Amino acid sequence: MKSRQTIRAVAGVLLCAAGLWLALPTPYRERTYIFNAEGCRLETTIVENLVGGGRGSVLLFHGISANKKIMSYWARGFAEQGLRVYVPDLPGHGRTPGPFSPARAEQCGEALLRELLARGMISGGRTILAGHSMGGAIAERIAARVPVAGLIAISPAPMRAAYGVTAEKLLFRDPPDLPANSLVLVGSLELGSLRRNASDLLGSGSDETSKYIEIPGASHVSVLFNRAAIQAARDWSAHLLQLSVTPGIPSHRQLIGALGGFVGILLIAGPFLREVLGKNGGKEKSPTSAGVGLARLVLEFGGGSALIVLALRFWGPLKAILLFQGDYLASMVLLLGALLMAMHWRTVRMAITNSRQLLAAGFAAIMLLLVSTAWFELTFYEAWLTAAKWSRFPFLVMAFSPCLLAEETLLGPVGEGKRGRRLALALTLRLITWGAMMGGVLFLHNGEILMGLLSVYMAVFNLIQRSGMDIVRSESGSATAAALFGAILQAGFCLVIFPLT
């Protein structure tokens, strides 16, 4: 057993080393500055090739819950053409402080453009505005007011209630006419409502200088790393700015290195947890389980989640945390946890422990959070928590802990040969809760669209978090330690993906 854990740890270290080798070297000049424009303090990275970027400029906006680092592939693609690319963190995202709202993000994006023009750093006639999702909508709206050479809207967020997109799901509700010289790119795997809304943008244009392209096999996120998409955008910028054709397209080594290294961290995490907790735990002296059958569990989680979704239409207890739609998720989990603990208080109370197991679990969770966020910060995505995010961290941990403790208690101890079944049950219960939240989006029209947009990332996180919690429970014999471990990871995850308001 120890030999297998050692092999996993060594393999993890090797993957991390290979990931750094792939992800960190860059043949581009990347400098980061802070631009103060009309009250907006935007941290902005300027990307250009090593021989300079004097042939024109691109101002590139990221989407909601993203940041400038995830736009690196596109920024480097434009830099290959000899363009100087300005990529800001919009308010509440990445390293730029909040508050965030779609309107303020648009205002700050326009302020940055006007500031660059006023300083003579760019020329309107040699500048293209580009953006993804929310950033695509912002780029279009700004280009309709400020003369630039052209626009590239990558999977732009809808601005009109049509094709199943209802008004409360819109970040912007007053779409301008599409400016001249605009390229609209979408992935063929995106929702039909998004594709049709994007194609309708060309119907509002006043001339025939614009173009709509659907990228085969691309989704809303994968379009950010799609070679065909970046090539189409480069052809468009070359056409608008009269640039010579440049064959070079950035490689995917940064993405491959980032994901490979993260897999390495996951491989290391298991042996690390067993080493930290194995010396502080042991078998559970008395199994803490409510003895609740599957049907009752489904009813309690499903019925409780549905009632709480209804209640959140009138009252959100954690709005003061100021996370854009993250306050909704935190309120949902807090209230569900309170309800479950009230229904099973005797059993939950027996599971509560106060020992060194909690310290060990908390230490392990903090270490894994720091290592994971540092890794993504280095390679792929600005995940390192700022001071403003850390200030919200303890409140989120307290909000998530009751639900995770109730969940751990109801699942019971990790039995030999039943790990897979226990994990599947836990994920099913969480899926029921997520389904209730999506029901609020689709049928109650509560507008919490990030619950759907971020569902893939939430699913991956839940699988990783639950697997780690199972290891903690098995090694420590403590439901409370497992709950604390999961709450710390969930708090960090929410602070990484939800913008600050």
Side-chain angles (χ1 to χ4, degrees):
M1 189 67 178
K2 287 186 176 181
S3 175
R4 188 167 63 181
Q5 295 300 320
T6 300
I7 292 172
R8 283 188 58 180
V10 171
V13 171
L14 292 176
L15 275 174
C16 289
L20 285 175
W21 177 76
L22 286 170
L24 290 189
T26 171
Y28 304 92
R29 181 182 299 141
E30 300 182 3
R31 296 160 292 163
T32 299
Y33 302 92
I34 295 175
F35 287 90
N36 291 295
E38 298 182 14
C40 301
R41 183 180 178 275
L42 301 177
E43 182 163 307
T44 304
T45 296
I46 303 175
V47 183
E48 55 189 338
N49 61 29
L50 296 178
V51 298
R55 307 178 72 186
S57 305
V58 177
L59 180 53
L60 180 61
F61 299 116
H62 62 74
I64 194 168
S65 293
N67 49 63
K68 63 181 184 294
K69 192 152 194 143
I70 203 172
M71 303 300 293
S72 293
Y73 186 71
W74 278 76
R76 293 172 178 182
F78 289 125
E80 286 281 357
Q81 295 180 289
L83 301 175
R84 181 174 291 118
V85 189
Y86 297 82
V87 197
D89 277 332
L90 293 172
H93 294 74
R95 309 261 77 78
T96 294
F100 164 77
S101 70
R104 187 164 188 268
E106 178 187 350
Q107 177 251 320
C108 290
E110 182 174 343
L112 176 61
L113 173 62
R114 294 187 183 277
E115 179 73 12
L116 295 173
L117 289 168
R119 293 189 186 190
M121 299 179 70
I122 63 174
S123 167
R126 301 290 298 171
T127 296
I128 294 172
L129 293 188
H132 173 249
S133 192
M134 177 188 72
I138 288 174
E140 179 191 343
R141 296 169 69 83
I142 296 173
R145 295 189 295 267
V146 183
V148 290
L151 165 72
I152 300 174
I154 312 155
S155 300
M159 290 178 279
R160 190 166 62 90
Y163 307 115
V165 178
T166 51
E168 74 280 352
K169 298 174 186 174
L170 301 176
L171 298 174
F172 307 98
R173 301 188 183 186
D174 50 343
D177 288 339
L178 190 70
N181 302 315
S182 295
L183 173 65
V184 179
L185 291 171
V186 298
S188 66
L189 300 182
E190 298 196 53
L191 293 175
S193 57
L194 299 181
R195 287 186 280 111
R196 282 177 279 182
N197 265 291
S199 65
D200 277 1
L201 292 175
L202 271 70
S204 64
S206 58
D207 53 42
E208 298 181 354
T209 63
S210 299
K211 188 176 182 180
Y212 170 86
I213 298 178
E214 204 164 290
I215 305 298
S219 67
H220 191 72
V221 174
S222 69
V223 72
L224 290 177
F225 309 97
N226 188 283
R227 290 180 178 270
I230 190 64
Q231 187 58 60
R234 282 157 49 92
D235 291 343
W236 192 253
S237 59
H239 164 69
L240 295 180
L241 302 177
Q242 292 81 51
L243 303 175
S244 57
V245 177
T246 52
I249 292 181
S251 74
H252 284 119
R253 61 179 291 161
Q254 181 188 32
L255 175 63
I256 295 170
L259 296 180
F262 184 62
V263 171
I265 291 173
L266 295 180
L267 289 176
I268 296 170
F272 169 72
L273 289 176
R274 291 183 174 91
E275 180 67 21
V276 171
L277 290 152
K279 298 176 180 178
N280 297 281
K283 294 183 179 180
E284 298 190 39
K285 297 179 178 60
S286 57
T288 52
S289 173
V292 179
L294 177 61
R296 182 179 169 184
L297 276 178
V298 170
L299 181 62
E300 288 182 355
F301 273 77
S305 298
L307 288 174
I308 292 167
V309 167
L310 288 171
L312 288 176
R313 288 179 60 83
F314 308 101
W315 176 63
L318 294 179
K319 286 188 177 295
I321 289 182
L322 301 179
L323 282 180
F324 183 77
Q325 299 190 10
D327 60 338
Y328 179 86
L329 176 61
S331 296
M332 177 79 190
V333 176
L334 173 64
L335 294 178
L336 180 60
L339 179 62
L340 292 172
M341 289 189 71
M343 289 190 294
H344 301 282
W345 172 240
R346 287 187 177 181
T347 308
V348 172
R349 185 179 60 183
M350 292 173 57
I352 297 175
T353 58
N354 181 18
S355 66
R356 61 182 183 178
Q357 297 163 351
L358 294 181
L359 292 176
F363 168 77
I366 290 292
M367 289 301 298
L368 289 178
L369 175 62
L370 293 176
V371 169
S372 298
T373 53
W375 177 262
F376 282 116
E377 181 77 23
L378 278 172
T379 60
F380 177 67
Y381 185 94
E382 289 175 340
W384 189 254
L385 301 186
T386 61
K389 292 182 176 181
W390 277 117
S391 68
R392 293 158 168 81
F393 180 77
F395 300 101
L396 286 174
V397 171
M398 289 187 288
F400 294 135
S401 292
C403 188
L404 294 177
L405 178 57
E407 179 186 81
E408 271 298 317
T409 303
L410 293 170
L411 290 173
V414 182
E416 289 296 331
K418 296 182 179 180
R419 292 174 183 266
R421 183 185 303 176
R422 187 177 189 272
L423 177 61
L425 175 58
L427 295 177
T428 299
L429 296 176
R430 294 188 181 192
L431 181 62
I432 291 171
T433 299
W434 178 84
M437 289 191 288
M438 288 306 300
V441 174
L442 297 174
F443 304 113
L444 300 180
H445 305 289
N446 61 19
E448 307 293 338
I449 58 172
L450 288 186
M451 300 305 109
L453 294 177
L454 300 174
S455 57
V456 174
Y457 308 103
M458 290 181 177
V460 172
F461 167 77
N462 275 279
L463 176 60
I464 295 171
Q465 179 216 32
R466 262 296 352 155
S467 299
M469 289 174 66
D470 286 351
I471 295 175
V472 173
R473 179 73 180 269
S474 177
E475 293 297 320
S476 68
S478 168
T480 315
L484 176 63
F485 175 86
I488 289 173
L489 294 187
Q490 192 163 7
F493 175 75
C494 286
L495 289 171
V496 167
I497 65 172
F498 289 108
L500 300 181
T501 61

